[in-house]
Amino acid sequence: MYAIVNIAGKQFKVTQDQFVYAPKMEGEDGASVEFDKVLLVDNDGKVEVGAPLVKGAKVSGKILGHVKGDKVVVFKKKRRKGYKKRNGHRQDFTKVLIEKITK
């Protein structure tokens, strides 16, 4: 069984007992979260597509921690002008364990 869920504007394909690195959310470690924006549910070949959401479907999970992603390097250059700019950042993510998919 899997579901496609909208978490903070991004879509994730999730299954039970899976880890998802979602954009940073409010909440402490160990707190439970519930996602009700379920776009699709597949239960052993029975696919149910929402229009736009599947009614009554929920995905529950638990926050395991807040982490930072890999460094993203932003490099700007204009040729023959002597202009080079190097910058970068690390995006914040929340590690979520998907516990249950209910239909």
Side-chain angles (χ1 to χ4, degrees), residues 17-35:
D17 299 326
Q18 176 188 2
F19 298 109
V20 174
Y21 290 97
K24 188 169 183 182
M25 299 183 240
E26 296 292 324
E28 298 179 10
D29 297 356
S32 61
V33 290
E34 207 168 74
F35 308 109

Side-chain angles (χ1 to χ4, degrees), residues 38 40 62 69 78 85:
V38 179
L40 180 139
K62 182 168 67 169
K78 295 190 178 177
K85 190 79 151 171

Side-chain angles (χ1 to χ4, degrees), residues 61-74:
K62 182 168 67 169
I63 294 177
L64 296 180
H66 301 288
V67 295
K68 284 193 167 202
D70 295 334
K71 185 161 191 166
V72 177
V73 176
V74 179

